[in-house]
Amino acid sequence: MWSYLQHLTYWDWLALGTLLLILEVFGAGGYLLWIGVAAASVGVLTFVLPNMHWAIQFLLFGMLSVATAVFWWQRQRSAAKPSRQPGLNQRGQEFIGRQFPLHEAISDGRGKIRAGDTVWLVSGPDLPVGSQVRVVGQDGVLLKVEAV
């Protein structure tokens, strides 16, 4: 085994990189992707420089693995920044502060308004049909309203 590790060729590194990339497909969350890229990179370097000492190959593999993993981690962190459009993909948030007539009377704290092309369930004080209400909040698909 020791003799084998001392005489690695570019095929060995490319095979390791391919194996790690295949394992990544099964759901490693990106970790094996970058280590596989590092192994493939060492394989390419070993192809270009065939007399590279085995210790240098392992050192390069370790350094490239850490470098690519740090690159991936930083990229993931920068991608997780909050959106400049805070209400994006949050239906109902755009109605907060707007006024609508009641589509169905609020009775026992529940009623409906027509907002946009949708009829929304609302909660608030009991009011008759046609009363103007202002949307003051949202709880899931339920809009909270108050009388204007």
Side-chain angles (χ1 to χ4, degrees):
M1 180 70 172
W2 185 249
S3 173
Y4 177 74
L5 291 176
Q6 290 179 344
H7 297 95
L8 289 176
T9 65
Y10 66 92
W11 284 115
D12 298 314
W13 287 109
L14 292 176
L16 176 63
T18 303
L19 177 66
L20 290 170
L21 293 175
I22 289 170
L23 290 174
E24 174 62 34
V25 171
F26 294 109
Y31 297 104
L32 295 179
L33 171 70
W34 299 108
I35 297 172
V37 167
S41 299
V42 172
V44 169
L45 287 173
T46 306
F47 178 75
V48 173
L49 305 168
N51 294 328
M52 188 184 313
H53 193 266
W54 65 271
I56 295 173
Q57 292 178 25
F58 280 104
L59 185 64
L60 277 172
F61 175 65
M63 290 183 345
L64 286 172
S65 295
V66 169
T68 56
V70 167
F71 166 76
W72 176 78
W73 179 73
Q74 287 178 342
R75 183 163 165 82
Q76 290 296 99
R77 265 188 58 201
S78 68
K81 290 182 181 173
S83 172
R84 287 178 275 173
Q85 299 173 344
L88 186 64
N89 292 331
Q90 296 178 359
R91 283 204 60 177
Q93 290 291 317
E94 69 268 16
F95 300 129
I96 294 178
R98 293 179 52 194
Q99 294 180 14
F100 300 96
L102 279 175
H103 185 66
E104 286 184 16
I106 299 178
S107 116
D108 294 327
R110 301 279 189 197
K112 293 182 181 177
I113 62 170
R114 179 171 292 282
D117 62 348
T118 307
V119 176
W120 287 81
L121 185 62
V122 296
S123 70
D126 290 354
L127 295 168
V129 172
S131 299
Q132 287 289 320
V133 293
R134 177 181 295 119
V135 179
V136 294
Q138 182 180 9
D139 184 20
V141 296
L142 181 69
L143 297 177
K144 297 177 182 180
V145 296
E146 65 183 16
V148 176

